[in-house]
Amino acid sequence: MAIKREEFKCRGNSWKLSSGMTQLQRIAIAPSQIQQQQITLTSEQQHYLYRVLRLQQGDRFIAMDGIGKWWLAQLAGSKAKILQTLTVETELPIAVTLIIALPKGNAFDEVVRCCTELGVSCIFPIVSARTLVNPSPQKLERWRRIAKEAAEQSERAVVPVILEPVSFSSSMSFASNQKYICEARGHYPHLLSCLQDKEKLPNHQGQKTMAIALGPEGGWTDKEIESAIHAGFQPVSLGKRILRAVTAPIVALSLVAATCEV
Ligand code: SAM
């Protein structure tokens, strides 16, 4: 799969992705796989590139390290030669962490997938008073794989971090410039009106950060809302309707993305 020169735009020492390159396959690699302008491919990656995608020796693809870097690479046996560094500008200007009480069944898979597409930086699964599931280590691996695939698909530069599940109380010490807790009932300001007050946005260690907490199917207990307020979280509404535990994080993140990107 050859790429024409005009498909890139030069920007400093790196090249910016243009629409012609969107046909190229993207795969996430670990930064440790790169040595002297070459990527040593794992057997799983070789299988995926040669057998699943049916690429051949000399074909090009995009390698992403999941922490902000993309490269144009060319297949050469069990390795890939790095041809160019690419510039990707698909990240939100604010690092958003979603603190989410685990929903029932496999619903969290959908939350991870959609929120990765929408630009989340970190997902922090928690077990709250009304959480009905007990997460297994295999689930964490699965969510991390889903985040990686969704980041590749949505052309993210960064693969979101999925933290290990902790209790509600442990998550309350999470440090961030702005902290919101979404509550389906009560008279709280809409998240959108809080976000529009952009001037309030301070920097946390040089970066704009935000944490948004979302409850499980049964909602938060009064005690949890009280401790969140005590920990610096502002309770907010996402509108007059009760959203499902899967829908609420997607709505919250869409509001953040729209506010800071438009
Ligand atoms: N069973 C709860 C009740 O009846 O109040 C509703 C829980 S809702 C299915 C799951 C979570 O989504 C809530 O804890 C909250 O964090 C969020 N949520 C849903 N709708 C919301 C809304 N309109 N405003 C703010 N948060 C909402």
Side-chain angles (χ1 to χ4, degrees):
M1 194 185 300
I3 301 176
K4 296 191 197 103
R5 192 96 183 138
E6 57 270 25
E7 287 171 337
F8 301 95
K9 285 182 193 137
C10 190
R11 199 168 179 272
N13 282 332
S14 62
W15 294 79
K16 193 174 175 187
L17 194 69
S18 73
S19 56
M21 279 188 69
T22 51
Q23 301 140 359
L24 285 184
Q25 297 294 340
R26 294 170 290 279
I27 65 158
I29 58 157
S32 58
Q33 288 179 254
I34 301 181
Q35 262 176 350
Q36 294 167 345
Q37 292 297 99
Q38 279 204 325
I39 303 165
T40 304
L41 299 165
T42 63
S43 45
E44 200 187 17
Q45 288 164 345
Q46 288 176 50
H47 175 83
Y48 181 68
L49 290 163
Y50 287 109
R51 304 255 171 228
V52 181
L53 299 179
R54 302 212 161 268
L55 298 189
Q56 292 175 359
Q57 186 94 330
D59 279 348
R60 297 168 185 208
F61 66 95
I62 291 168
M64 51 186 281
D65 67 359
I67 48 172
K69 293 210 180 96
W70 276 33
W71 298 273
L72 176 65
Q74 185 171 40
L75 272 175
S78 62
K79 297 192 184 243
K81 187 177 165 205
I82 291 183
L83 302 177
Q84 267 157 5
T85 301
L86 303 171
T87 304
V88 215
E89 288 163 352
T90 49
E91 293 305 312
L92 291 180
I94 182 161
V96 184
T97 295
L98 292 177
I99 299 173
I100 310 182
L102 285 164
K104 286 188 285 186
N106 284 336
F108 204 62
D109 291 6
E110 202 49 28
V111 172
V112 172
R113 190 173 293 113
C114 295
C115 292
T116 299
E117 288 171 34
L118 287 164
V120 71
S121 287
C122 174
I123 298 180
F124 198 171
I126 60 161
V127 176
S128 68
R130 293 183 183 148
T131 300
L132 298 172
V133 289
N134 238 335
S136 64
Q138 289 85 343
K139 284 268 179 177
L140 183 60
E141 250 173 62
R142 178 179 165 78
W143 298 329
R144 287 179 174 156
R145 196 175 60 246
I146 291 174
K148 188 166 80 84
E149 286 167 6
E152 289 167 2
Q153 182 276 321
S154 56
E155 302 190 5
R156 295 273 310 266
V158 171
V159 177
V161 173
I162 316 286
L163 297 174
E164 292 203 18
V166 296
S167 65
F168 169 83
S169 53
S170 313
S171 73
M172 286 295 100
S173 54
F174 191 82
S176 183
N177 310 140
Q178 293 182 93
K179 300 198 279 190
Y180 299 107
I181 182 160
C182 298
E183 169 54 32
R185 303 195 186 257
H187 296 282
Y188 296 116
H190 199 290
L191 175 63
L192 182 62
S193 55
C194 298
L195 297 173
Q196 281 168 336
D197 208 349
K198 279 187 189 164
E199 297 310 306
K200 276 194 189 160
L201 265 181
N203 285 1
H204 176 73
Q205 294 171 349
Q207 201 197 12
K208 283 192 166 75
T209 61
M210 181 185 297
I212 307 177
L214 297 122
E217 285 86 353
W220 302 114
T221 61
D222 291 346
K223 204 170 152 219
E224 283 170 337
I225 293 287
E226 271 170 39
S227 12
I229 295 172
H230 188 69
F233 283 76
Q234 155 79 54
V236 287
S237 164
L238 294 174
K240 293 178 183 166
R241 290 145 302 278
I242 307 291
L243 307 173
R244 285 186 308 132
V246 173
T247 315
I250 296 170
V251 170
L253 199 56
S254 305
L255 291 172
V256 177
T259 315
C260 64
E261 284 186 329
V262 173

